[in-house]
């Protein structure tokens, strides 16, 4: 776990090295972006009442790639904040930060 700064705003970056893959997420008090391990459909369907703000990027192997990658999917709650598929991960995080 490491703090990272994007345009003067602080987030927490988490990397967990697993056999044959890495788990990565960047978070703040509102929500998070994550690697392909995130199941957005589960969050939207089974956990909808929790109103989770999250987004997923696929094909990333580092936190830096996660920040620059276009988002492949986003939760309904993230969409309500203006976070959209195709947006860079770092831009989604900034939208999350400015809504707190």
């Amino acid at each position: 776990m490491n703090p990272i700064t994007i345009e003067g705003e602080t987030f927490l970056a988490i990397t967990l090295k697993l056999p044959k893959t890495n788990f990565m997420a960047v978070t703040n008090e509102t929500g998070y972006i994550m690697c392909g391990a995130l199941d957005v459909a589960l969050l939207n369907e089974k956990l909808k009442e929790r109103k989770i703000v999250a987004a997923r990027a696929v094909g990333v192997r580092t936190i830096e790639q996660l920040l620059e990658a276009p988002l492949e999917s986003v939760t309904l709650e993230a969409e309500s904040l203006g976070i959209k598929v195709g947006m860079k991960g770092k831009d989604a995080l900034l939208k999350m930060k400015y809504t707190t």
Side-chain angles (χ1 to χ4, degrees), residues 64 88 97 99:
E64 293 76 21
K88 285 186 177 185
K97 189 69 175 185
T99 62

Side-chain angles (χ1 to χ4, degrees), residues 6 11 17 22 27 51 55 64 68 72 75 78 83 87:
I6 304 169
F11 300 88
K17 295 188 185 290
N22 289 332
T27 187
K51 299 182 178 184
E64 293 76 21
E68 293 297 327
E72 179 267 343
T75 62
I83 297 167
M87 175 181 283

Side-chain angles (χ1 to χ4, degrees), residues 21-26 33-39 55-60 66:
T21 191
N22 289 332
F23 170 89
M24 293 167 293
V26 181
I33 63 171
M34 201 167 116
C35 64
L38 180 65
D39 188 344
R56 174 173 95 162
V58 296
V60 296
L66 180 58

Side-chain angles (χ1 to χ4, degrees), residues 28-63:
N28 73 355
E29 51 280 338
T30 300
Y32 54 93
I33 63 171
M34 201 167 116
C35 64
L38 180 65
D39 188 344
V40 172
L42 173 81
L43 299 180
N44 281 337
E45 296 164 17
K46 305 277 185 190
L47 304 177
K48 186 176 182 177
E49 71 284 350
R50 295 185 189 182
K51 299 182 178 184
I52 296 170
V53 175
R56 174 173 95 162
V58 296
V60 296
R61 294 187 174 172
T62 66
I63 292 293

Side-chain angles (χ1 to χ4, degrees), residues 88-100:
K88 285 186 177 185
K90 67 181 178 183
D91 295 330
L93 289 166
L94 290 170
K95 283 196 173 281
M96 290 176 200
K97 189 69 175 185
Y98 297 137
T99 62
T100 58

